[in-house]
Amino acid sequence: MKTNSSIPLGGIVLMKKAEKHFGVFKELFSGIGGKSKDFLPCIKLHVYNKLTHSVSTHQIIETYPEEIAEHIGAKEMPSERNLYRALERVGKYFPIVMDRYQQLLKKHNLVDSEQVIDFSSTYLEGSKAELAEFGYSRDKRPDKLQINFGISTGLNDVPTAITIQRGNVQDKKHIREILKLASKVVPQNTLLIFDAGANSKENKTKIRELGFNYLTLKPKKVGTYRKHIQFFMENLEKGIAEHFEMNSRHYSCVKRIHKDETLYIFFSPELYETQIKNKERKFERQKKKGNILLKKRKVQKIPSDEGWVELIPHLQKTLSAIDNIYITGIEGFFILESSVDEVPEKILKLYKERDKAEKFIRALKEGIELRPVRHWSKWAIIGIFFISFLTNFLINLTHFLSDKSVFPIVKNVKLLKKFLINLTLTTVYPQDRFRFTVLSNVSPQILSIFGDFVWNFEDKSLNLRW
């Protein structure tokens, strides 16, 4: 006789609801699996894992009971070998799957005309991966090999593209790959918003050639900024500057048409105070560090034919306070560059929407637990990136289908996964009787996400038995 078992049901309900309304898995993966009969169940199991405990592929079979199989459309649990094969197949067919994904967005009118582009990296366990390179680590793990990835997402929280690149690819180069993908789905005159890391003359020209607009931050080079700050001060004295308040901060802005783009020169007194305080703290830390080194100084000796030469240190004292070398004179200022001429307040509000991409990336890394990557095969790495990307997309889709009147929508992926895991379906195997299931932990948060759809998983035969 089989023993009773319980499974976290939230991930299954989320996938089935998204499939019912949008047909995600059928649209993306039909015909990709070849002769494999359990390709689609393997994909669903990977997504379910990311929505639940996010264990490594090697531990999936050991983590979840066999009752999961019927919910993912399989007669029995897929083998570990087939799980790895499914990932590699997704990686090999990534261009096709991504194209189908974008067509799905078009079909359901989910493409936003304002897109935020951002880049990040994650590190790997191991040293054999083809895509892995040492590079700038956003996770503060420079000792590990990195893989870079970029995403483009609309202000409606629906992502439109993901790219995977080697760990040493710079943002200025990486954005060109994003543009290739995004240009296939976003409409003409779409506004692309990105940070200073990808800002270059060539990239801005390419964006305009594709028929899009851009909004980005001008890199903070002191010499360049001082010229524009002087222009700002001259116009401020003439009373030309625009003033407004946003998020408890006051801003003054002067627009400047420079060549074929509009520069928005901003100054915020609150930002100025914050940056000055941070630089003063940094300078104090450096002085304390210098004091410690001064106490530990040793006389350096250099050998020569005449004997040992001693270099005696000399302390240069000042009659006044030491100048803070970190203060450059551009504190409180920042300049936005755009191909559109708009009201400064609207432009700043749009640029602040960059946190949409940052939150999406944070959800990938922390909520869905993309890092660290434990695969070595190039195709498996691309596959696990897309599976994580798809999982986050399914989560965001639930926001469109949720009943916000029942309970505030849960947007934090870590917190959302707790509610998904707590929703439980227990399978009971009584002696000499047919099995039955019990649905439990249907919280208000679960009802706000799934509504009445969750009751489809309740065993309707229980009322007939007792």
Side-chain angles (χ1 to χ4, degrees):
M1 186 179 72
K2 289 186 177 181
T3 57
N4 302 340
S5 68
S6 296
I7 62 171
L9 189 65
I12 296 294
V13 182
L14 190 147
M15 286 193 296
K16 289 198 172 184
K17 187 172 184 180
E19 185 68 9
K20 178 184 176 181
H21 288 83
F22 298 98
V24 177
F25 292 96
K26 182 180 178 181
E27 294 276 355
L28 265 58
F29 301 107
S30 60
I32 299 293
K35 296 181 180 179
S36 174
K37 295 181 180 180
D38 61 353
F39 173 74
L40 198 54
C42 284
I43 297 299
K44 291 182 178 179
L45 186 54
H46 276 296
V47 174
Y48 171 77
N49 174 51
K50 288 296 181 183
L51 288 168
T52 314
H53 298 301
S54 295
V55 298
S56 65
T57 305
H58 176 66
Q59 296 177 324
I60 287 178
I61 305 301
E62 299 176 0
T63 303
Y64 305 109
E66 60 183 16
E67 282 76 13
I68 289 292
E70 63 180 284
H71 295 290
I72 59 175
K75 293 182 179 179
E76 58 183 15
M77 285 290 278
S79 66
E80 180 182 320
R81 184 179 183 183
N82 285 346
L83 286 173
Y84 279 107
R85 281 181 171 178
L87 274 185
E88 293 194 348
R89 202 162 186 86
V90 172
K92 287 179 180 178
Y93 286 89
F94 173 72
I96 296 174
V97 175
M98 177 54 65
D99 182 67
R100 289 182 177 182
Y101 171 81
Q102 293 182 327
Q103 295 305 317
L104 178 73
L105 297 186
K106 277 187 176 181
K107 179 180 177 181
H108 295 281
N109 297 317
L110 294 172
V111 182
D112 201 331
S113 60
E114 293 166 336
Q115 295 284 317
V116 184
I117 297 174
D118 202 2
F119 307 93
S120 190
S121 65
T122 187
Y123 62 93
L124 291 90
E125 296 293 348
S127 58
K128 304 295 182 181
E130 181 182 342
L131 291 172
E133 296 284 354
F134 283 109
Y136 172 62
S137 173
R138 277 82 164 185
D139 301 325
K140 298 182 180 179
R141 292 300 306 267
D143 58 315
K144 297 284 188 179
L145 292 168
Q146 307 290 318
I147 290 182
N148 284 343
F149 65 96
I151 64 108
S152 175
T153 182
L155 299 190
N156 61 351
D157 291 323
V158 175
T160 53
I162 181 172
T163 55
I164 301 99
Q165 297 289 305
R166 295 180 182 275
N168 58 355
V169 174
Q170 294 182 344
D171 293 353
K172 285 182 174 63
K173 182 179 179 181
H174 196 162
I175 193 174
R176 298 168 199 166
E177 301 301 319
I178 280 281
L179 291 176
K180 288 178 185 178
L181 284 179
S183 60
K184 295 179 180 179
V185 64
V186 297
Q188 288 290 296
N189 295 318
T190 292
L191 180 64
L192 304 180
I193 307 167
F194 51 93
D195 208 347
N199 184 359
S200 70
K201 185 177 180 180
E202 292 77 13
N203 290 336
K204 290 185 291 187
T205 302
K206 181 65 176 178
I207 289 170
R208 295 301 293 141
E209 289 174 352
L210 290 170
F212 305 134
N213 292 307
Y214 62 84
L215 172 59
T216 184
L217 176 69
K218 190 174 187 64
K220 288 194 173 184
K221 296 180 180 179
V222 177
T224 305
Y225 260 61
R226 281 179 176 169
K227 296 177 184 177
H228 295 299
I229 290 174
Q230 184 179 355
F231 179 83
F232 174 90
M233 298 304 294
E234 291 172 356
N235 283 271
L236 185 66
E237 292 177 359
K238 297 176 183 177
I240 298 177
E242 297 185 39
H243 308 277
F244 58 92
E245 184 179 349
M246 185 182 296
N247 299 332
S248 301
R249 278 188 175 179
H250 296 83
Y251 294 93
S252 300
C253 178
V254 172
K255 288 200 295 186
R256 184 178 194 180
I257 306 300
H258 185 67
K259 295 182 180 179
D260 57 347
E261 67 181 0
T262 304
L263 301 182
Y264 299 84
I265 310 167
F266 288 94
F267 175 77
S268 169
E270 292 84 2
L271 179 62
Y272 172 82
E273 291 177 4
T274 300
Q275 291 179 346
I276 288 294
K277 287 179 181 177
N278 289 340
K279 291 184 176 183
E280 286 177 349
R281 283 196 294 267
K282 182 178 180 180
F283 189 51
E284 290 300 320
R285 288 196 300 269
Q286 293 299 318
K287 287 197 292 185
K288 289 179 180 178
K289 183 178 178 181
N291 292 339
I292 294 172
L293 293 175
L294 192 63
K295 293 178 182 177
K296 294 181 178 180
R297 71 187 188 279
K298 294 181 179 179
V299 176
Q300 187 177 357
K301 294 183 178 181
I302 301 176
S304 71
D305 291 336
E306 302 295 329
W308 288 93
V309 178
E310 288 189 356
L311 301 180
I312 302 174
H314 172 70
L315 179 63
Q316 181 180 353
K317 295 186 177 181
T318 58
L319 299 177
S320 59
I322 304 175
D323 293 332
N324 189 338
I325 59 173
Y326 299 109
I327 296 177
T328 59
I330 65 172
E331 289 76 22
F333 287 93
F334 60 95
I335 303 173
L336 299 181
E337 299 176 332
S338 181
S339 58
V340 296
D341 187 356
E342 261 291 355
V343 179
E345 186 173 0
K346 182 179 179 180
I347 285 292
L348 181 58
K349 185 177 180 181
L350 283 170
Y351 185 72
K352 285 181 176 289
E353 293 288 351
R354 285 184 309 107
D355 69 341
K356 298 277 186 183
E358 293 169 359
K359 288 176 181 176
F360 188 91
I361 289 173
R362 193 178 305 119
L364 282 180
K365 289 183 172 184
E366 299 176 3
I368 297 172
E369 299 180 49
L370 174 62
R371 63 183 179 192
V373 177
R374 295 184 175 91
H375 299 277
W376 291 2
S377 161
K378 172 185 176 180
W379 304 123
I381 289 173
I382 295 174
I384 199 64
F385 267 93
F386 184 77
I387 290 294
S388 302
F389 174 82
L390 177 63
T391 304
N392 209 15
F393 165 67
L394 293 176
I395 290 173
N396 289 346
L397 274 186
T398 60
H399 299 165
F400 291 92
L401 305 173
S402 299
D403 185 1
K404 301 174 182 62
S405 63
V406 177
F407 206 87
I409 189 68
V410 181
K411 290 193 174 182
N412 183 284
V413 176
K414 272 189 174 181
L415 181 59
L416 174 64
K417 283 176 63 175
K418 290 182 180 179
F419 292 118
L420 296 179
I421 292 172
N422 287 340
L423 180 63
T424 305
L425 187 69
T426 303
T427 305
V428 182
Y429 297 94
Q431 189 173 4
D432 300 328
R433 293 171 186 259
F434 291 108
R435 73 171 191 175
F436 62 90
T437 59
V438 179
L439 181 66
S440 57
N441 299 333
V442 183
S443 63
Q445 291 84 356
I446 287 294
L447 287 175
S448 72
I449 298 168
F450 302 126
D452 292 336
F453 186 79
V454 71
W455 300 119
N456 293 333
F457 296 84
E458 190 177 35
D459 195 335
K460 304 298 189 297
S461 67
L462 293 179
N463 293 332
L464 301 176
R465 297 189 187 190
W466 288 278

